[in-house]
Amino acid sequence: MELGTSGPPEQAEILNGVWETAKSQNAEWGRKAPYLTKLRIMGAFVNERLHELVPFDKRYRAYDINRFGWS
């Protein structure tokens, strides 16, 4: 997956004390600042009773974003 980032992958562009020390592909993507790309905001799934439905593979998304800057 290409995010359109600049600089080598090991060079953190976003420093927050967590993302630049994590060793994973998601952390590498999370600490890069996309250049001239679009920000995509996505909503949640809601059923007919207006209850939010969270897909199984997204249940820990908040943790992933906090830990790696990317999900």
Side-chain angles (χ1 to χ4, degrees), residues 3-38:
L3 293 178
T5 60
S6 61
E10 66 277 358
Q11 180 182 355
E13 296 172 346
I14 299 172
L15 304 175
N16 76 348
V18 177
W19 301 342
E20 68 271 15
T21 59
K23 306 291 183 205
S24 76
Q25 185 70 55
N26 281 348
E28 182 179 312
W29 290 340
R31 62 183 167 246
K32 302 305 284 183
Y35 179 71
L36 296 177
T37 60
K38 294 179 181 179

Side-chain angles (χ1 to χ4, degrees), residues 43-55:
F45 294 106
V46 179
N47 69 12
E48 64 278 352
R49 293 183 179 170
L50 301 180
H51 295 128
E52 182 182 18
L53 303 173
V54 180

